[in-house]
Amino acid sequence: MTEQDEPVAERDILAQATAAGLGKAVDEFPQDVLAAAQAARQARQSLCAPDDSTAEPWPPMRASTPP
Amino acid sequence: MAADARVDSAVNDLHWLTAQEIAAAYAARRLSPVELVRALLARIDKLNPLLGAFIRVDAEAALDAARVSEAEIAAGRSRGPLHGVPVAVKDIIDVAGQATTCHSRIMLDHVAARDATVIARLRAAGAIIIGKLALHEFAIGGPSFDLPFPPARNPWNPLHHPGGSSSGAGAALAAGLVPLALGTDTGGSVRNPAGACGVVGLKPTYGTVSRHGVFPLAFTLDHVGPMARSTGDAAVLLDVIAGYDPLDPGSVDGGARQYSADLARGLRGLRIGFVRGFHERDIEADPEVIRALDEVARVLTCEGAELREVALPPLQDFFGAQRVIMASESWAVHARWLRARPGDYGASSRRRLMAGAFLSAGDYIEAQQRRHELIAAVAQASREVDVLLVANAMDTPCRIDDPDTIARTYSRQARNVFSLTGQPALALMCGLSSQGLPLSVQLAARAHDETTLLRVGAAYERATQWPQRHPALPTDAPVKPA
């Protein structure tokens, strides 16, 4: 990434946040918006792709049935 | 020391009695609910300015309930082992007529119209609701100093944080302000403060305890869990609060059971799976933590358990799925307020809760698919053992005024593995560090096998007596943090 790219990326992130309805947060807390975007990016990068993308994900939580 | 002897020697230390000891003392007419509640209220008055454990203490209602309990017990109308026993509640759980603030400006005016199911169960069992406990804002943002209430502090050293997000529960129990507490656990929020404060925290199997009337953080990860100063007390509390609730869509109808049934059985015949990889391979734990975990393994073996090594998928794999699910679901809960009132959140919550705005529906589905694969992988790797022995935190709690170290160390843990799989996990004190701060171990069992999990915890406590260790706290006059 070049030095010129970074502000563009930040503008994109803030635009994405505005599109998500976070315009007020963009105006008042832009650094928090950028930090949130970075946290989301890190979370997505640390997510291992499932072995089977056709596996049924519902119900999303099912500890095994009680004995 | 036997419970009766402890009660006899604790005339001036009522605050250290366990719920089981309190019940025995009531039955023997050596203690009354009013006497106990008055003693605890006086101790809260002295220590809460230092520790910030309670957001709200309902002294009059607690004393009224104590008088009712006293009359009922005197008349021989016992309602069970929690009759007349004070319980404090994380302020994310509804108590009728009181604000459920979630430790946030957003919720300061939100007065609960009715009791959460867990509170209704406690009241039916005769327990006394003594007050609402501090937490990390909305169970995610903290410890923070930009919220309407101060953060709770660690009784073992008030300059250090008490873990979270059920921070007030950990602090109140460790300081002897209350014998029992209710916390909630989405990514480890019962087990983290239990470990940091040297008390007991149980995340039951997903669906075992109703979440109706509990403010959500992430629907498919949220649990309500008992916290106490002994495994036996946690079991007795679980006996009361567990059970099917049609008002909670995640509730499991498993029939009535007594989780405290096997506390005295010992460990002979049980197989313990030691998961070294988390703290030796995936995240290198503090050497004191590693030594303490090895010592737990040795003690459990000496008590008759068979020890085996178990390898699970890397911690980072669990973290990835858990973070995407939690961020996505919590964004769904908070989006309307983050859009309209971002300034009413603390900075920590605001940053964490907005993350979900940058994740897609596809990310969320992938995380849930990966979650199912991880659940299956843990079940497969654990099929030859009864209970897993796992690290809790990889470090002892750092100073509460050191946000950089907090940010670096908070994710150095192995708790969200079981938030993701939904199986029960128990945090226990297993030592003191060279700095005098608690060390903690985590035990986990198969889904719905809390009885075996609690059996192991109780045996470990009998062998080590860690529940008898308490922090030294100033009690002569009200004190405030430096």
Side-chain angles (χ1 to χ4, degrees), chain B residues 327-346:
Chain B
S328 302
E329 295 184 1
S330 60
W331 163 250
V333 173
H334 287 273
R336 62 182 169 131
W337 286 325
L338 288 166
R339 288 169 176 144
R341 302 170 59 187
D344 285 342
Y345 286 89

Side-chain angles (χ1 to χ4, degrees), chain A residues 12-14 16-17 19-26 28-29 31-67, chain B residues 205-206 220 252-254 257 316-317 319-321 323-324 331 335 338-343 347 350-352 354-360 363-373 375 419-423 447-448:
Chain A
D12 287 348
I13 291 167
L14 296 176
Q16 187 182 352
L22 290 172
K24 193 168 184 182
V26 168
E28 296 176 12
F29 307 103
Q31 293 308 311
D32 291 349
V33 173
L34 294 171
Q38 184 180 0
R41 189 166 58 249
Q42 289 171 344
R44 193 187 305 108
Q45 287 170 348
S46 63
L47 174 64
C48 295
D51 296 332
D52 179 6
S53 64
T54 68
E56 172 66 52
W58 308 114
M61 182 54 203
R62 51 183 174 214
S64 63
T65 51
Chain B
T205 307
Y206 184 83
T220 70
V252 174
D253 190 357
R257 57 182 72 193
Q316 289 74 12
D317 204 348
F319 287 175
R323 283 173 180 163
V324 169
W331 163 250
L338 288 166
R339 288 169 176 144
R341 302 170 59 187
R350 191 166 51 237
R351 290 180 176 208
R352 294 178 190 178
M354 286 194 298
F358 299 93
L359 293 166
S360 71
D363 295 330
Y364 178 69
I365 297 296
E366 277 199 3
Q368 293 289 11
Q369 288 174 318
R370 185 64 188 148
R371 171 192 218 167
H372 287 316
E373 293 170 357
I375 291 172
S419 308
L420 202 65
T421 65
Q423 63 199 102
H448 306 288

